[in-house]
Amino acid sequence: MAEFLYRVGRWSARRAKTVIVAWLAILAAAGVAFALGAGTLATTFSIPGTPTAEVTDRLQSDFPDASGGTGTVVVQSADGEELTAAQQDEIAGLVADASKVDGVSAVMDPFVTEADRATQQQQVEDGRAQVEAGRTQLETGQAQLDAGRAQLEAGQAQLDAARAQAEAAGMLAQAQPQLDAQQATIDQGLAALDAQQTALDDGTTQLEEQSAQLEQGATLLDMASEIRMVSEDGTTAIVMISFTDPQMEIPQETKDELVSVFDAAPADLEVNLSADMTMGAPSIIGAGEIVGLLVAAVVLVVMLGTLIGAGLPILTALIGVGIGALGALSLSGVVEMASVTPVLGLMLGLAVGIDYSLFIVNRHRRQLKAGDELHESIALANGTSGNAVVFAGTTVLVALLALNVTGIPFLGLMGTVGAACIAIAVLIAVTLTPALLGLVGERILSKKERARLAAAAAGGSGTVAQGAQEAQGAAPAPAEVRPMSTGWAVVRVVVGIAALLLVALPALDLRLNLPDGSTEPHDSTQYQAYSTLAEKFGEGQNGTLLVVADLPASETEADSMTAQVEIAQTLFDQDDVVAVAPIGTSEDGTVAAFQVVPAEGPTSESTEELVHTLRDMSPIDGTYEIGVAGSASGNVDISEKLASALPVYLAVVVGLSLIILVLVFRSIFVPVIATLGFILSYFAALGGVVAIYQWGWLGGVFGVESPGPILNFLPTILVGILFGLAMDYMLFLGSGMREAYAHGAPARIAVVQGVRAGRSVVTAAAIIMIAVFGGFIFSHSAMIRPIGFALAFGVLVDAFVIRMMVVPALMHLAGDKAWWLPRWLDKILPDVDVEGASLERRHPHVAAGVSEAAPEDDLDKDAAGVRG
């Protein structure tokens, strides 16, 4: 690979314009693909197979009316007073306009809804009064029936006595016709009374059924009493919007059109829209990101000493991220892509793109100052540092692609897009960077450096030879370098590890979820809607749950209603439930849906526990199977799925780390401490995120106005990215130590030599990455900010604490044992020449003015030879 990259670098430098035009053409093609294929980015996340997804899928097939998503619009009077009749009419007009938007199934007018609720309540009261009146009439009728029956029974007794007297007097035959007539009259009276009693009993039954239905209705109204559409003080109203598509699939066009409708609200109304309607795609680049680039530029100027040298890595990185971001967005029309995905690719592409180009430029500058001929220096820099770049980039790429093993589609896509951006950055570093270096020539050096080089060449070869030795990385004589003291090494290990363990402690309290309106900037419409709902209607209104229940087949509507009331009452009796309202039943009456309002917001611990409590209750009373869905439930499921996938992914990455480092360093000790160092820096980064974004420490500094749970996919994505970057720094520092040790330097001297050889470029690279990632800390998106901080802080602690402080100290303490490798393993391991040391031996530095050995087209010939 090193030899191939050597020839690629030389060919690119000689044919600079061809390479530059080719990359610009690719950038233009990506732009055309974006214009033709870009679609809508998803602002919500879903994972197939979760309990919420299963309930949602079932609703779509069995009860489509309840399967659609919902959105909330909060409307207040601009002056804070009670909404007037005229303002209520204005709201009705907004409702009518919103109901015409494609993709909207219904829009509830809050005042009509409250009027309907009041009407229902009045109907219950009127029904109760009618029932009481009917009961009184029935009681009166029963009393009259009882009195009539008593009279007939008394007449029957008299008739029986008369019959007995007639029979005793022997005159029964003469009295029989009269007695029979009287008996017939009494029988007719009793039959009439029986008929009236039956009617009275039927009336009583109907009245009791009516009373039971009224009480069921009253019970449901009472359980739903906290679900108000207009606040008690009359200053605030909620416009509820129902969509035809499920919550996770609502088209952005539908949301945008609704936003336009409510943006046109009259000036006397203050309108705020909830996060589920306005959580649009984050901007690709903003002020914070630009500041990060400026910081990176300053670092490059300080390190390289020229504006051309500083601008070249930034230019190549921008071309790379342009291709990567536009290419990714061009696929959003055919692939469901989360809005954060291209931003993540941008973050990675910028950071590694600048760093990878910097490594090659820095090596080339050192060689030029040592007297190398221009094209030979570019080729050698590409074959050595470029080879390390390819290896480091491949490590990051593999770690990101490994996100697909989690089985989580949106996370796997993030990893794939990030890996593609890394691959583009590597390809640009080893082709476009040499081309630009060939184009700028010796102007990559400052005027002073060029003058010094010319003077050295004119004065003799001694200075050039000395510089060449330095550029080749040859180890100085051992006497010139002193190892660190053992005591100081112990202090560095203890202090470094203790500090990172302390920083990592907050990670023990890590809570995962997706951001909601409460985490948005306080001046945003999402936060205003969230806080107003919480203040005027209760926190739970921001995170309602959808409970779906299976109903047994019933012959009557009354039986179905009884089952619904029983289910609703059971739900309402649970802790942390403040209201329950039936939404409706399916056409066949076998599925019922309920709105459940928790006591706290969607990301609170109590709401998360409530979701599990409700699921654990199924089946209710051993009869009614229930499921839980809704945005809050979906976020809980996604967070738990991600949390369960994290250990598997972390194990894959740790195993990958050990294998790669054993191959590179041919050691057991070095890979183990390097991997353990990565794990420590990872949890330290998580601890910092928890302390700031969940606990709220230093919230004013980082713009955290409302602390809350951590973005649920952050810990997983952080593993892949931080692992790759940590391996980069370990590679550039550790390979120097390995090379010095292989050239005969004592183990402890080799540690110092390796650190000295790589610390300047690693320091610059780390500062650049921290600056680029840090620029995203102040993004307007609540999802991007913690990602930017986690990456910036993770790079900070890994580069400066683990790689430059703890690892060298541990290797000093281990001495020669640091490079021990079992013989059997040494025999089977391939020779991975990451830094291209063998290439340097095959292509020793050529002083300026010496002709190049290979013809201009030797890359093509050698490439053909490789293929042959």
Side-chain angles (χ1 to χ4, degrees):
M1 177 60 76
E3 183 71 27
F4 176 72
L5 291 173
Y6 170 88
R7 300 184 185 281
V8 168
R10 185 167 55 187
W11 184 86
S12 299
R14 288 174 172 171
R15 299 184 179 180
K17 292 182 179 179
T18 301
V19 175
I20 293 170
V21 169
W23 278 111
L24 291 178
I26 294 173
L27 178 61
V32 172
F34 167 74
L36 296 177
T40 301
L41 295 175
T43 56
T44 54
F45 300 88
S46 62
I47 300 178
T50 61
T52 297
E54 291 173 353
V55 172
T56 303
D57 292 342
R58 186 186 173 197
L59 282 175
Q60 285 184 280
S61 60
D62 296 346
F63 193 3
D65 290 343
S67 66
T70 59
T72 306
V73 180
V74 182
V75 185
Q76 294 177 284
S77 57
D79 56 6
E81 299 296 325
E82 185 175 353
L83 291 163
T84 64
Q87 289 172 324
Q88 294 179 23
D89 291 340
E90 292 170 350
I91 294 173
L94 294 173
V95 168
D97 292 340
S99 62
K100 299 175 184 176
V101 174
D102 187 32
V104 172
S105 62
V107 184
M108 295 173 59
D109 186 319
F111 295 97
V112 172
T113 302
E114 288 298 329
D116 290 344
R117 186 208 298 273
T119 299
Q120 292 173 355
Q121 189 66 49
Q122 187 60 49
Q123 288 174 344
V124 168
E125 296 301 325
D126 292 344
R128 281 173 170 169
Q130 292 174 359
V131 166
E132 288 303 319
R135 188 172 283 117
T136 300
Q137 292 177 353
L138 287 172
E139 289 175 353
T140 301
Q142 186 66 55
Q144 292 173 348
L145 280 176
D146 291 342
R149 191 177 299 279
Q151 291 177 355
L152 288 175
E153 289 175 352
Q156 182 67 54
Q158 292 175 356
L159 182 61
D160 291 342
R163 187 184 302 276
Q165 290 176 358
E167 186 177 3
M171 301 179 65
L172 182 60
Q174 294 85 347
Q176 188 67 41
Q178 183 179 3
L179 291 174
D180 290 343
Q182 292 177 0
Q183 185 64 55
T185 300
I186 290 175
D187 289 342
Q188 289 175 358
L190 287 173
L193 286 176
D194 289 340
Q196 293 177 20
Q197 184 66 56
T198 300
L200 196 64
D201 291 342
D202 291 343
T204 300
T205 300
Q206 293 175 0
L207 195 65
E208 293 305 323
E209 289 177 352
Q210 182 181 356
S211 177
Q213 291 175 357
L214 283 171
E215 293 308 316
Q216 288 176 342
T219 299
L220 293 176
L221 284 173
D222 289 341
M223 287 189 288
S225 61
E226 292 300 320
I227 306 177
R228 298 186 304 274
M229 296 294 104
V230 180
S231 62
E232 291 182 348
D233 59 9
T235 62
T236 308
I238 301 175
V239 177
M240 292 298 299
I241 300 174
S242 299
F243 298 94
T244 55
D245 294 307
Q247 193 75 44
M248 303 296 182
E249 301 174 15
I250 301 171
Q252 188 62 39
E253 293 86 351
T254 300
K255 296 180 181 180
D256 292 341
E257 194 170 346
L258 283 171
V259 170
S260 299
V261 168
F262 288 99
D263 280 346
D268 60 343
L269 294 177
E270 180 181 341
V271 178
N272 290 293
L273 289 80
S274 61
D276 49 16
M277 290 182 59
T278 56
M279 193 73 77
S283 59
I284 294 296
I285 194 163
E289 292 85 339
I290 293 174
V291 171
L293 277 178
L294 292 176
V295 173
V298 171
V299 173
L300 289 169
V301 170
V302 171
M303 181 179 183
L304 302 178
T306 64
L307 291 177
I308 292 178
L312 193 148
I314 293 178
L315 176 62
T316 57
L318 289 176
I319 293 174
V321 298
I323 295 171
L326 291 174
L329 290 170
S330 68
L331 299 175
S332 60
V334 294
V335 177
E336 184 177 341
M337 183 178 295
S339 58
V340 73
T341 302
V343 181
L344 185 65
L346 173 69
M347 295 170 68
L348 291 175
L350 274 179
V352 302
I354 293 174
D355 276 5
Y356 289 168
S357 181
L358 168 64
F359 294 143
I360 296 173
V361 171
N362 184 61
R363 180 64 178 251
H364 170 57
R365 279 172 40 82
R366 285 168 49 200
Q367 292 170 172
L368 277 184
K369 288 188 289 184
D372 280 17
E373 191 275 333
L374 177 66
H375 288 162
E376 178 69 15
S377 175
I378 294 173
L380 194 59
N382 211 49
T384 53
S385 291
N387 192 45
V389 162
V390 170
F391 190 87
T394 303
T395 303
V396 184
L397 185 146
V398 171
L400 288 172
L401 287 177
L403 283 168
N404 288 279
V405 306
T406 62
I408 300 172
F410 79 83
L411 196 61
L413 184 59
M414 283 184 191
T416 302
V417 169
C421 290
I422 295 295
I424 292 169
V426 170
L427 290 174
I428 282 184
V430 298
T431 57
L432 185 57
T433 298
L436 292 173
L437 288 174
L439 196 64
V440 301
E442 292 190 353
R443 287 175 295 169
I444 197 69
L445 301 176
S446 66
K447 291 182 180 179
K448 291 183 179 180
E449 289 171 332
R450 294 201 298 270
R452 188 181 305 117
L453 182 61
S461 60
T463 304
V464 174
Q466 182 181 359
Q469 184 184 23
E470 178 186 350
Q472 286 178 315
E480 298 177 4
V481 180
R482 297 180 59 186
M484 72 178 77
S485 69
T486 301
W488 177 235
V490 172
V491 170
R492 288 172 59 156
V493 171
V494 172
V495 171
I497 294 178
L500 291 187
L501 287 175
L502 184 64
V503 174
L505 281 177
L508 297 174
D509 190 40
L510 176 67
R511 287 187 56 239
L512 301 177
N513 213 303
L514 280 171
D516 55 22
S518 66
T519 60
E520 296 295 326
H522 284 194
D523 59 349
S524 65
T525 184
Q526 300 97 316
Y527 179 81
Q528 293 297 325
Y530 186 97
S531 60
T532 301
L533 282 176
E535 177 185 355
K536 299 290 186 178
F537 301 92
E539 291 184 23
Q541 189 68 42
N542 285 295
T544 58
L545 302 174
L546 177 65
V547 174
V548 179
D550 290 336
L551 300 180
S554 57
E555 297 181 357
T556 65
E557 185 177 344
D559 292 339
S560 176
M561 178 61 71
T562 299
Q564 292 180 59
V565 172
E566 184 178 348
I567 295 169
Q569 187 66 59
T570 303
L571 298 175
F572 185 71
D573 290 340
Q574 303 307 307
D575 293 338
D576 298 316
V577 172
V578 298
V580 176
I583 296 175
T585 58
S586 59
E587 290 185 3
D588 59 5
T590 60
V591 180
F594 302 86
Q595 180 185 8
V596 177
V597 180
E600 296 184 304
T603 60
S604 67
E605 292 184 65
S606 65
T607 300
E608 182 178 343
E609 292 174 1
L610 178 61
V611 170
H612 294 298
T613 299
L614 295 178
R615 287 173 175 164
D616 292 341
M617 289 165 49
S618 183
I620 294 178
D621 295 336
T623 303
Y624 310 111
E625 295 283 349
I626 66 170
V628 184
S631 296
S633 169
N635 291 347
V636 169
D637 290 342
I638 293 172
S639 299
E640 292 179 350
K641 179 74 172 179
L642 287 164
S644 64
L646 179 59
V648 176
Y649 179 57
L650 186 58
V652 170
V653 168
V654 168
L656 180 66
S657 170
L658 289 171
I659 294 172
I660 291 174
L661 294 179
V662 168
L663 284 172
V664 172
F665 297 117
R666 308 188 75 82
S667 162
I668 299 297
F669 181 78
V670 176
V672 169
I673 63 171
T675 303
L676 292 176
F678 154 69
I679 295 173
L680 189 55
S681 60
Y682 169 74
F683 282 104
L686 277 186
V689 170
V690 170
I692 292 172
Y693 292 92
Q694 183 176 317
W695 292 357
W697 291 6
L698 301 177
V701 176
F702 293 96
V704 183
E705 297 173 308
S706 301
I710 303 305
L711 182 66
N712 50 23
F713 59 82
L714 186 153
T716 308
I717 203 79
L718 180 62
V719 170
I721 298 173
L722 188 58
F723 161 73
L725 301 181
M727 294 307 101
D728 282 359
Y729 301 137
M730 190 65 212
L731 179 66
F732 283 101
L733 288 171
S735 59
M737 302 177 192
R738 173 71 188 176
E739 190 69 18
Y741 182 74
H743 286 166
R748 292 177 174 176
I749 295 294
V751 170
V752 178
Q753 290 177 353
V755 171
R756 288 185 180 181
R759 65 186 174 189
S760 60
V761 68
V762 169
T763 298
I767 293 174
I768 288 170
M769 281 203 176
I770 293 167
V772 173
F773 291 143
F776 290 86
I777 293 175
F778 302 99
S779 168
H780 194 70
S781 170
M783 283 194 290
I784 299 300
R785 291 196 296 266
I787 295 178
F789 174 84
L791 292 175
F793 187 63
V795 168
L796 174 68
V797 298
D798 192 85
F800 294 107
V801 180
I802 294 295
R803 306 303 154 191
M804 293 190 186
M805 180 177 173
V806 175
V807 168
L810 287 172
M811 294 185 67
H812 171 89
L813 295 175
D816 291 329
K817 294 178 181 178
W819 303 108
W820 175 80
L821 187 70
R823 290 184 179 179
W824 64 267
L825 185 58
D826 185 54
K827 291 180 180 179
I828 64 175
L829 287 180
D831 184 14
V832 182
D833 184 16
V834 176
E835 281 285 5
S838 59
L839 177 69
E840 288 187 285
R841 290 190 289 271
R842 291 194 301 270
H843 297 275
H845 288 210
V846 181
V850 177
S851 62
E852 298 165 72
E856 206 169 284
D857 60 349
D858 61 349
L859 174 64
D860 301 321
K861 295 179 180 177
D862 288 334
V866 171
R867 289 193 297 270

